[in-house]
Amino acid sequence: MYQYDAIDQQLVQERVAQFRDQTRRYLNNELSEQEFLPLRLQNGLYVQRYAPMLRVAIPYGMLSSAQLRTLADIGRRYDKGYGHFSTRQNLQFNWPTLESVPDILAELAEVEMHAVQTSGNCIRNTTTDQYAGVIADEIVDPRPYCELIRQWSTFHPEFAFLPRKFKIAVNATESADRAATQVHDIGLHIKKNDAGEIGFKVIVGGGLGRTPMVGVTISEFVPREDLLTYLDAIIRVYNQNGRRDNKYKARIKILVKALGIDAFRKLVDAEWEHLRGKESTVPMSEFERLQGFFTEPAYKALEEQPQSLTDKLANSAGFARWYERNTFSHKKAGYRIVTLTLKKNGQAPGDATSEQMDKAADLADKYSFGELRVSHEQNLVLADVQQDQLVELWEAAKESGFATPTLGLLTDMICCPGGDFCALANAKSIPIAKQIQDTFDDLDYLYDIGEVDLNISGCMNACGHHHVGNIGILGVDKKGEEFYQVSMGGASGHDASIGKILGPSFAQEEIGSVMKRIIDLYVDQRTEEERFIDTFRRIGIKPFKEAAYAKAN
């Protein structure tokens, strides 16, 4: 993974010193709330319902075991003993005091971490596939390109105060899009042209929130050496033309829709003419330098499917379930990718205690070269596990609550912190997640239902990505009471789509039974090969609507 050089380290430490002084001046009433606002936001600090929330950057979801132990220690000493992994591969602390944040940032800097640009109207953390670098069908490893974008966008002087926040995601496989690139401000798909040259299909204007949209293709192929000049051109056009009078209409998706993609492309191409081939063109030596940080670990020559694994799969239904759901094929024979799920019933989705973080770091050291990934679905990933160590790892993961074998199933839900923490939320998300976990707390039934993406957001800001859940749940406020709107038919992969609202919202206590009726209808209507989303797309929303409101009728 990327290692800081002396300049990186100096930048981060100077930033800590600056924020320490800014915090001191704010606490001494030398800075007003309005003056302090952009300063704290660009250091990842929100003011939430009960306490500040600090969002720590985890670039493209990569973590070393030492970094995770530091996060665990910070959670233990400055928070309430846990952290929350977000859909954009970051980690949030929900209970630090404002006075303690400079100390937290100083401790993060010691392990090459920070919270810079995890909030505010700037370019946020670039995200990618949690399986990057270890899957067979990848065109190239996307992480060096993510690191290139990270270095370009961090402290970019022209883009520090954009009309609104700006998010970029990168995908490098044809078979799947695990980074939800089509619902980002810019989605990048790594491709090779007929000459075998590497470049990017560029998608622009996607996003969720109050006005959800799937992005549109602005260029089918941008050569990789031109990536930064093309990104500069897009964001410069947005910075100059995006609305600043209404924050709900300030995202790039609104500008692209208002102009139309052809007119927007024309503006970008005109801007690119000024930039292409100039100083931001990336030389091959820079790609080689960055790729040097993402070399393969010291893999062993191992047997694929060793006998010990085959025997365990035949003799242990519990292990076989975990293997089937929570592990994924690896490009190297004898290795497997393992997801440590953070979706145990009774635990808020995406939350990990400090003890769990320490344990995950131990497992990474013992089984996966000391590295971990954070997934878009709010789980942790060990990317390089020997197949002959899977049984031992499964036993250890069970002890720490990491082995719930439900990856990709209904209860592997995405969920924002909601009204339990967030000042923006209209309703609580975590009790809804718990109600659904309890309703479907039967592994046999979950396996029979099969793959369903369930996403829950506490408000229209859509941190839980409810618009692109096969089933989405949105918390709404109705005259001071919490209700929940259900949408269906969303998807975040290559077949991205925005869900359709089912109808009037439901009371909190109804959600479990509503979900049960929706799933029962699906089970009744599906054909043998269909997933939930396939059945929905075949029969449409009407039967699901009738089932969901059957009680009222």
Side-chain angles (χ1 to χ4, degrees):
M1 62 188 293
Y2 182 75
Q3 305 288 314
Y4 279 15
D5 61 19
I7 295 174
D8 294 321
Q9 194 65 45
Q10 181 180 348
L11 278 172
V12 170
Q13 288 177 333
E14 287 180 353
R15 182 75 169 207
V16 173
Q18 290 166 358
F19 189 66
R20 189 182 294 282
D21 186 57
Q22 291 158 359
T23 303
R24 180 193 61 75
R25 287 189 286 152
Y26 171 71
L27 292 172
N28 287 339
N29 297 318
E30 297 169 25
L31 288 177
S32 69
E33 183 67 47
Q34 190 173 8
E35 290 170 323
F36 188 56
L37 177 67
L39 302 175
R40 66 173 170 78
L41 286 179
Q42 294 220 358
N43 286 282
L45 189 64
Y46 289 76
V47 173
Q48 293 288 49
R49 192 174 295 266
Y50 303 111
M53 182 274 279
L54 180 66
R55 181 180 293 146
V56 179
I58 302 176
Y60 34 92
M62 288 284 297
L63 270 174
S64 70
S65 57
Q67 290 173 328
L68 186 55
R69 286 195 183 89
T70 296
L71 293 172
D73 188 46
I74 288 171
R76 189 177 292 112
R77 290 189 294 115
Y78 295 103
D79 202 278
K80 293 190 175 182
Y82 66 96
H84 175 79
F85 290 100
S86 74
T87 55
R88 300 204 73 259
Q89 302 179 307
N90 294 314
L91 181 120
Q92 298 176 175
F93 291 115
N94 284 306
W95 297 100
T97 62
L98 175 58
E99 293 82 352
S100 69
V101 171
D103 291 336
I104 295 173
L105 295 178
E107 294 184 25
L108 289 172
E110 292 299 316
V111 290
E112 303 183 358
M113 299 189 81
H114 59 74
V116 174
Q117 292 182 206
T118 58
S119 180
N121 295 333
C122 52
I123 301 171
R124 306 283 187 88
N125 184 30
T126 297
T127 57
T128 193
D129 191 334
Q130 66 268 24
Y131 301 158
V134 291
I135 48 177
D137 68 342
E138 199 169 63
I139 295 169
V140 293
D141 187 342
R143 293 172 298 173
Y145 300 96
C146 293
E147 178 57 30
L148 177 73
I149 296 168
R150 186 192 73 81
Q151 295 193 15
W152 159 80
S153 61
T154 303
F155 302 127
H156 195 306
E158 187 176 342
F159 303 144
F161 294 97
L162 294 168
R164 280 289 279 144
K165 57 189 173 183
F166 202 92
K167 301 175 181 178
I168 300 173
V170 184
N171 181 56
T173 68
E174 298 289 347
S175 61
D177 177 0
R178 282 175 283 267
T181 58
Q182 295 191 61
V183 288
H184 277 70
D185 297 290
I186 291 179
L188 298 172
H189 289 197
I190 297 179
K191 299 175 68 176
K192 282 187 179 176
N193 63 14
D194 292 341
E197 297 164 332
I198 295 169
F200 296 85
K201 175 182 174 179
V202 182
I203 297 166
V204 68
L208 300 176
R210 194 171 296 268
T211 312
M213 295 184 194
V214 173
V216 290
T217 301
I218 186 170
S219 175
E220 285 290 346
F221 191 84
V222 173
R224 62 175 172 178
E225 62 270 24
D226 295 325
L227 175 63
L228 297 188
T229 58
Y230 198 74
L231 293 178
D232 268 322
I234 291 176
I235 302 175
R236 183 171 288 180
V237 168
Y238 166 56
N239 201 20
Q240 292 174 340
N241 297 279
R243 291 183 60 171
R244 294 175 186 268
D245 61 321
N246 183 341
K247 72 175 185 178
Y248 300 121
K249 297 183 182 298
R251 297 289 293 268
I252 193 173
K253 60 190 175 186
I254 303 296
L255 178 64
V256 173
K257 186 173 177 59
L259 294 175
I261 187 60
D262 291 336
F264 184 81
R265 183 186 294 113
K266 195 172 290 184
L267 290 174
V268 170
D269 286 347
E271 191 63 43
W272 196 29
E273 280 298 308
H274 300 302
L275 300 169
R276 192 175 189 184
K278 303 288 178 57
E279 59 268 19
S280 291
T281 303
V282 185
M284 182 54 68
S285 59
E286 179 62 5
F287 291 120
E288 291 170 351
R289 185 186 76 85
L290 293 174
Q291 285 166 357
F293 292 104
F294 301 95
T295 54
E296 288 187 352
Y299 291 127
K300 298 176 183 175
L302 297 174
E303 176 189 5
E304 182 69 9
Q305 291 286 110
Q307 190 62 46
S308 59
L309 174 61
T310 304
D311 290 345
K312 189 68 175 180
L313 287 170
N315 298 324
S316 171
F319 176 75
R321 274 182 163 167
W322 177 80
Y323 180 88
E324 176 193 352
R325 294 302 330 170
N326 290 22
T327 77
F328 196 83
S329 59
H330 196 286
K331 67 180 183 181
K332 289 290 183 185
Y335 285 85
R336 200 84 180 159
I337 304 166
V338 174
T339 296
L340 304 177
T341 48
L342 301 177
K343 306 297 170 60
K344 187 178 179 180
N345 192 354
Q347 187 168 349
D351 277 10
T353 66
S354 290
E355 289 69 29
Q356 284 183 306
M357 286 190 262
D358 278 336
K359 185 63 180 178
D362 292 344
L363 296 178
D365 280 341
K366 188 170 183 180
Y367 298 106
S368 193
F369 300 101
E371 291 184 353
L372 305 98
R373 320 285 181 86
V374 182
S375 75
H376 166 66
E377 292 81 11
Q378 302 174 286
N379 294 307
L380 295 174
V381 173
L382 301 179
D384 300 291
V385 180
Q386 291 183 205
Q387 292 179 6
D388 58 8
Q389 294 182 330
L390 284 172
V391 175
E392 189 178 298
L393 171 58
W394 173 60
E395 294 287 357
K398 281 195 297 182
E399 290 177 8
S400 301
F402 292 138
T404 308
T406 56
L407 190 67
L409 303 180
L410 185 68
T411 55
D412 181 33
M413 62 192 81
I414 288 174
C415 183
C416 74
D420 285 298
F421 302 99
C422 180
L424 300 175
N426 292 319
K428 295 182 176 66
S429 300
I430 295 170
I432 295 300
K434 179 71 170 69
Q435 192 180 145
I436 294 170
Q437 288 171 333
D438 289 343
T439 302
F440 294 92
D441 192 22
D442 180 329
L443 276 180
D444 290 332
Y445 188 36
L446 283 171
Y447 275 65
D448 181 50
I449 295 167
E451 294 183 2
V452 185
D453 291 338
L454 169 63
N455 298 354
I456 305 172
S457 300
C459 74
M460 284 304 293
N461 289 298
C463 292
H465 290 203
H466 64 279
H467 297 297
V468 289
N470 300 162
I471 303 173
I473 298 177
L474 166 67
V476 295
D477 178 274
K478 291 175 71 171
K479 297 181 179 178
E481 293 189 35
E482 297 180 3
F483 280 77
Y484 295 87
Q485 188 182 77
V486 175
S487 58
M488 299 186 65
S492 61
H494 285 309
D495 60 344
S497 57
I498 302 299
K500 298 175 181 175
I501 296 170
L502 203 58
S505 55
F506 298 96
Q508 182 181 117
E509 62 271 16
E510 294 179 290
I511 288 295
S513 58
V514 168
M515 288 292 298
K516 184 73 168 53
R517 293 196 292 275
I518 288 171
I519 294 299
D520 285 348
L521 187 278
Y522 156 65
V523 170
D524 182 61
Q525 294 291 318
R526 67 183 172 183
T527 60
E528 188 175 349
E529 75 286 356
E530 282 183 335
R531 302 166 301 159
F532 182 90
I533 188 65
D534 301 323
T535 301
F536 176 85
R537 286 172 174 169
R538 177 172 57 82
I539 70 175
I541 197 170
K542 185 178 178 184
F544 288 100
K545 185 172 184 175
E546 290 172 352
Y549 293 97
K551 183 180 175 184
N553 294 334

